[in-house]
Amino acid sequence: MNRANLNTRMQIGKGTTFLPGKKDPSVAKQIDHVLEHGYVILPSIFTKTEVDNANAELERLEASVSGPASKGGRNAFEGFQTKRVYSLPDKSRAFDCFPIHDTILKLNDYFLQPSYLLSSFHTVDIGPGEKPQGIHTDDGLIPLPRPRPLMGIGTMVSLDDFTATNGATTLIPGSHLWDDHQEPNRDAMISAIMPAGSVVYFLNTLWHSGGENTSNGRRRSLTVQYCQPWIRPYENFTVATGWEDLDQIPKRLLALMGFSTHEFMGYVDGRSPRAGVEMRKKRLIEWGIKQEEEKKGGSSKL
Ligand SMILES: O=C(O)CCC(=O)C(=O)O
């Protein structure tokens, strides 16, 4: 990081600071909307085929056990009537198009620093009867006073039409400008009403929540979140360390190396990283056996 960059830091209201990046003229209007209101809706940016494929895979994953919240949330924040399938890149190729949509990446290029990361990517399927989620900001676990540096971006992709009654994301326009003394309340919230295949894009400092579902239908969606590239350790010990002998490492050291969580942060498929390693080891062994069998099958045919 050089001084010149730091000098370009921008403050918006009393809530958010960030280092503006490349401003692509094709998204200038959307950028201005985000600066003023903290969010922007990108209507129908995904095709019907992309949405249909995602929904078909969502149904398949929910029909099997696909992680600890795929049959319903475990707490009020996940939502007891809400199904979540975590770690989508591990489970299907049908969702790959969503985090890399050109318009979203162009907006990120302005609000985040180069090499930003995918921070969260899972389904949020809000069922009938779901209560409103607690109002929160996605940087709520980061104890820094406002105005604070932008840590990331949240997006919700609608896989059904988001309506006023089926649990559309609710948000408080302009709350990214607030200082720490301003308290969120539901009366100030609006619903992100948009057709299936749309995105609501918002800063991590914006107060929002999943909506109440008083309808008879579901509100299927994806949450795709990004964080600044510097929100990670220098060394990536969870990949660098052999998983065969993890239990020989002192528990305290393992936790320091990242085989641990802070609240939700750092989870693997909605579980602890240590449990995640066991799941991956099992999958690798099964994969190895299958490869061997295929090799043997291939050579016996010769
Ligand atoms: O489901 C939604 O509309 C928002 C979900 C959300 O903000 C979250 O789970 O962090």
Side-chain angles (χ1 to χ4, degrees):
M1 169 65 57
N2 60 42
R3 291 269 145 209
N5 268 351
L6 280 179
N7 292 339
T8 66
R9 183 169 287 280
M10 220 169 114
Q11 180 168 330
I12 29 180
K14 296 176 183 165
T16 313
T17 70
F18 74 106
L19 287 168
K22 187 170 150 246
K23 191 169 186 174
D24 190 297
S26 67
V27 291
K29 257 181 30 202
Q30 289 86 345
I31 286 176
D32 288 345
H33 198 281
V34 177
L35 288 171
E36 188 177 345
H37 304 287
Y39 77 97
V40 67
I41 290 178
L42 309 170
S44 305
I45 61 170
F46 292 107
T47 64
K48 183 169 178 334
T49 306
E50 287 167 329
V51 171
D52 288 348
N53 289 344
N55 277 332
E57 280 297 82
L58 179 147
E59 299 304 333
R60 181 183 69 80
L61 291 167
E62 284 185 1
S64 57
V65 178
S66 191
S70 63
K71 300 280 177 219
R74 297 160 289 180
N75 52 52
F77 190 82
E78 280 188 329
F80 293 112
Q81 307 303 323
T82 298
K83 297 173 182 170
R84 293 177 191 247
V85 177
Y86 290 102
S87 291
L88 292 177
D90 182 45
K91 295 180 178 164
S92 172
R93 298 276 59 84
F95 304 103
D96 289 351
C97 56
F98 296 99
I100 54 175
H101 190 281
D102 202 42
T103 305
I104 296 172
L105 297 185
K106 280 179 181 156
L107 290 170
N108 284 350
D109 289 343
Y110 181 70
F111 287 106
L112 298 175
Q113 288 171 251
S115 317
Y116 52 81
L117 298 168
L118 189 62
S119 162
S120 197
F121 183 20
H122 62 265
T123 64
V124 188
D125 177 1
I126 298 186
E130 184 60 278
K131 298 190 169 52
Q133 190 185 37
I135 309 174
H136 61 281
T137 61
D138 285 335
D139 63 1
L141 292 174
I142 300 173
L144 285 176
R146 287 177 176 230
R148 66 172 159 250
L150 184 67
M151 300 292 169
I153 292 292
T155 74
M156 294 298 306
V157 180
S158 52
L159 296 179
D160 287 306
D161 294 346
F162 274 25
T163 71
T165 56
N166 75 353
T169 307
T170 54
L171 50 87
I172 306 183
S175 57
H176 65 306
L177 308 172
W178 293 2
D179 62 20
D180 282 319
H181 302 294
Q182 231 166 319
E183 289 293 327
N185 78 78
R186 283 210 186 272
D187 295 342
M189 298 191 103
I190 61 157
S191 296
I193 295 173
M194 53 190 190
S198 307
V199 168
V200 54
Y201 178 102
F202 51 95
L203 302 180
N204 259 189
T205 44
L206 191 82
W207 289 97
H208 68 279
S209 78
E212 180 176 22
N213 189 344
T214 56
S215 76
N216 295 323
R218 297 151 72 189
R219 190 223 70 179
R220 292 170 295 183
S221 70
L222 304 172
T223 179
V224 187
Q225 300 178 29
Y226 307 83
C227 69
Q228 296 284 16
W230 32 260
I231 303 189
R232 58 176 163 192
Y234 274 102
E235 286 200 51
N236 189 339
F237 294 108
T238 50
V239 177
T241 314
W243 290 346
E244 317 82 82
D245 300 324
L246 279 186
D247 288 334
Q248 292 176 18
I249 302 175
K251 282 204 162 54
R252 185 76 184 96
L253 181 54
L254 268 185
L256 288 172
M257 287 160 58
F259 293 94
S260 55
T261 53
H262 174 62
E263 311 268 349
F264 288 161
M265 288 166 146
Y267 62 72
V268 176
D269 197 13
R271 281 180 269 240
S272 79
R274 192 66 190 83
V277 166
E278 292 313 309
M279 175 270 286
R280 295 241 46 106
K281 269 165 65 177
K282 192 165 161 281
R283 292 251 306 264
L284 272 175
I285 291 166
E286 284 164 5
W287 177 80
I289 292 170
K290 203 166 147 231
Q291 295 282 307
E292 275 307 305
E293 280 168 359
E294 275 172 17
K295 249 196 262 165
K296 276 191 210 143
S299 55
S300 67
K301 274 188 216 133
L302 292 175

